[in-house]
């Protein structure tokens, strides 16, 4: 793929059979790349001849029957700068120019025209500096008018997101974090015109937001939804005059593999997509996730932190087969009768052997880490046949002579 003058050259001959022929490939290119203006396509084995046919088509003229030699000279890009002189020499077509002596032609018109004609007649290879994508996506856009409201930036940002999608698809990457930044015109700050004076009458300031995703993403619709949620809570202190979109972090794109066999049809969107959208709409502190901790005390096994999209799904908490489905916020002290714990006036029946837990001795007196625990856990049955999770405190070096106490810490569904 290469830009030559006003045309985009594509080398498609090795893959025509894969796409089903020229007509099918042309229809797919037009369908997947909608353009605001009409898109013209011309085909030839040599690029400059295809561009000449494209220019004739735009002028509403048919391709001459005489082949390459009959093409008008104005359709050759290398000859455009010399058309008046070539017309005085009687040259109207590519064949007329090709018939000129090589030495005088190169001295008078330079090597470019002779080289282009050699390519057209197959005397020299056709070489172009092919387009190469940059290593990092960083594209700016000047707004056609000043924008005072942040959500209104989404329309212009959609163009940048589409360009980002093409860059990701070409490099087989998915974006994990990107930044949308804007440039502000401070001549009207907070809606009030600023007085002239100082080193500069108008100073430009900027701002921006960073969007993160849990998994590599390419779909602009999902990225646009996340961007819309963040822009809805953003305020511009001054009118925006330009946008800039940067890909901060990318990862290899691994699309799902298709199967010939019918499988389970997924409905709805993945969990990480919901977490990202809810965090963008409500704020990171409003959506939290459980983070495991290296501690055997049930109340200290996990903590709750903001569900940042980049971390969602990375930590996993292994379930405990003996742990209840509901853990009380604070352990409930139980009465003791004849050495047996009681709940609601009924002695509990212990169904399991004790499970010993000793933890917290490393935390000392730090309140955030909890206190030292020396406990024996049991699954007990109450008077209404409900299952409870209780534990008995054992004597420790801090409380060597204390009487055993019983606590209710969890309930089973």
């Amino acid at each position: 793929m290469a830009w030559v003058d006003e045309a985009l050259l594509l080398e498609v001959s090795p893959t025509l059979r894969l796409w089903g022929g020229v007509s099918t490939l042309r229809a797919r290119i037009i369908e997947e790349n909608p353009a605001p203006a009409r898109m013209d396509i011309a085909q030839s084995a040599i690029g400059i001849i295809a561009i000449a046919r494209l220019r004739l088509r735009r002028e509403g003229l048919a391709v001459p029957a005489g082949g390459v030699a009959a093409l008008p000279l104005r359709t050759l890009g290398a000859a455009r700068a010399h058309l008046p002189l070539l017309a005085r020499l009687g040259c109207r077509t590519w064949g007329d120019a090709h018939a000129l002596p090589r030495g005088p032609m190169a001295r008078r018109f330079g090597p470019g025209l002779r080289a282009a004609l050699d390519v057209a007649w197959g005397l020299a290879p056709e070489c172009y500096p092919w387009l190469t994508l940059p290593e990092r996506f960083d594209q700016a856009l000047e707004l056609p008018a000043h924008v005072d409201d942040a959500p209104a930036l989404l329309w212009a940002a959609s163009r940048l997101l589409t360009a980002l999608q093409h860059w990701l698809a070409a490099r087989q990457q998915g974006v994990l974090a990107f930044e949308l930044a804007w440039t502000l015109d401070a001549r009207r700050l907070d809606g009030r015109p600023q007085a002239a004076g100082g080193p500069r009458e108008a100073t430009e300031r900027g701002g921006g937001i960073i969007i993160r995703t849990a998994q590599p993403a390419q779909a602009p619709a999902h990225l646009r939804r996340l961007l819309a949620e963040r822009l809805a809570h953003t305020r511009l202190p001054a009118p925006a005059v330009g946008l800039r979109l940067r890909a901060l972090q990318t990862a290899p794109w691994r699309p799902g593999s298709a199967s010939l066999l019918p499988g389970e049809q997924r409905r709805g969107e993945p969990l990480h997509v919901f977490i990202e959208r809810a965090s963008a709409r409500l704020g990171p502190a409003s959506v939290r996730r459980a983070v495991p901790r290296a501690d055997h005390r049930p109340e200290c096994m996990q903590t709750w932190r903001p569900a940042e999209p980049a971390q969602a799904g990375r930590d996993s908490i292994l379930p405990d087969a003996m742990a209840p489905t509901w853990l009380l916020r604070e352990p409930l002290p139980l009465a003791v009768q004849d050495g047996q714990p009681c709940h609601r006036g009924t002695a509990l029946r212990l169904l399991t052997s004790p499970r010993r837990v000793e933890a917290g001795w490393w935390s000392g007196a730090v309140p955030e880490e909890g206190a030292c625990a020396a406990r024996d856990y049991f699954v007990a049955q109450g008077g209404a046949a409900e299952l409870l999770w209780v534990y008995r405190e054992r004597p420790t070096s801090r409380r060597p002579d204390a009487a055993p106490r019983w606590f209710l810490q969890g309930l089973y569904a």
Side-chain angles (χ1 to χ4, degrees):
M1 182 169 60
W3 277 111
V4 180
D5 296 335
E6 75 278 13
L8 179 65
L9 291 183
L10 301 177
E11 174 57 51
V12 298
S13 56
T15 59
L16 279 182
R17 185 178 178 183
L18 175 64
W19 296 110
V22 176
S23 301
T24 305
L25 179 59
R26 181 189 298 115
R28 183 161 183 176
I29 290 175
I30 296 176
E31 179 184 356
E32 296 185 359
N33 299 272
R38 186 175 63 116
M39 183 185 300
D40 295 321
I41 298 178
Q43 180 188 3
S44 177
I46 299 178
I48 59 175
I49 298 177
I51 295 176
R53 294 177 177 179
L54 185 66
R55 289 166 177 167
L56 289 175
R57 179 172 299 178
R58 289 187 173 180
E59 294 177 4
L61 302 176
V63 178
V68 179
L71 290 174
L73 202 55
R74 66 180 183 278
T75 60
L76 182 60
R80 287 187 168 183
H82 313 290
L83 286 179
L85 180 56
L86 288 171
R88 290 195 296 269
L89 294 176
C91 296
R92 298 290 186 272
T93 64
W94 290 25
D96 297 338
H98 182 63
L100 294 176
R102 299 182 65 90
M105 182 181 182
R107 288 193 298 269
R108 175 166 292 189
F109 302 106
L113 179 57
R114 183 70 261 175
L117 293 173
D118 287 345
V119 168
W121 262 262
L123 303 176
E126 187 177 22
C127 300
Y128 298 104
W130 298 105
L131 292 178
T132 56
L133 294 176
E135 293 295 328
R136 295 183 178 274
F137 182 86
D138 189 347
Q139 188 168 338
L141 176 66
E142 184 178 354
L143 299 177
H146 288 190
V147 177
D148 299 321
D149 192 14
L153 296 174
L154 186 62
W155 179 84
S158 298
R159 295 177 54 185
L160 297 176
L161 289 176
T162 303
L164 174 62
Q165 180 200 19
H166 295 328
W167 181 84
L168 293 171
R171 298 189 64 87
Q172 298 184 1
Q173 295 282 312
V175 66
L176 288 171
F178 66 94
E179 178 189 24
L180 179 69
W182 47 81
T183 304
L184 302 179
D185 185 1
R187 284 178 291 188
R188 279 195 301 125
L189 188 61
D190 294 329
R192 296 189 300 269
Q194 299 298 298
R200 292 181 60 187
E201 181 179 352
T203 59
E204 291 184 347
R205 302 186 307 173
I209 54 179
I210 296 178
I211 305 294
R212 300 186 182 275
T213 59
Q215 298 180 5
Q218 282 189 357
H222 174 53
L223 302 179
R224 191 180 298 112
R225 284 198 302 266
L226 297 179
L227 193 58
E229 297 292 349
R230 292 289 302 275
L231 289 176
H233 301 281
T234 304
R235 175 180 172 274
L236 297 180
V241 296
L243 288 180
R244 179 186 180 189
L245 186 67
R246 292 192 303 153
L248 302 179
Q249 183 181 1
T250 60
W253 174 251
R254 298 182 179 88
S257 59
S259 175
L260 297 178
L261 302 177
E264 181 182 357
Q265 300 294 328
R266 284 190 174 184
R267 296 184 178 181
E269 54 190 17
L271 176 61
H272 72 90
V273 174
F274 167 76
I275 292 177
E276 293 165 7
R277 190 171 66 252
S279 299
R281 177 177 301 180
L282 305 176
S286 300
V287 183
R288 301 188 177 187
R289 63 186 177 96
V291 179
R293 298 177 60 187
D295 202 311
H296 293 288
R297 292 167 293 181
E299 66 273 14
C300 300
M301 282 185 174
Q302 66 184 28
T303 183
W304 292 90
R305 295 179 181 175
E308 299 178 1
Q311 301 294 333
R314 292 190 178 182
D315 299 322
S316 59
I317 301 177
L318 297 178
D320 188 351
M322 297 297 294
T325 54
W326 186 266
L327 197 68
L328 300 183
R329 186 180 297 273
E330 296 288 343
L332 179 65
L334 297 176
V336 179
Q337 295 180 1
D338 299 330
Q340 288 292 110
C342 299
H343 181 56
R344 296 179 179 176
T346 304
L348 299 179
R349 177 188 174 192
L350 304 181
L351 303 180
T352 61
S353 57
R355 178 187 176 188
R356 183 154 295 180
V357 171
E358 292 188 1
W361 47 267
W362 60 83
S363 60
V366 181
E368 294 81 2
E369 297 291 342
C372 178
R375 307 166 182 172
D376 290 333
Y377 278 89
F378 302 85
V379 177
Q381 186 177 25
E386 73 274 18
L387 294 181
L388 309 175
W389 204 40
V390 300
Y391 69 84
R392 176 185 60 199
E393 283 188 344
R394 295 185 303 103
T396 62
S397 58
R398 299 180 182 181
R399 303 173 61 249
D401 300 329
R405 296 187 301 174
W406 289 82
F407 292 86
L408 170 64
Q409 194 166 18
L411 307 173
Y412 292 89

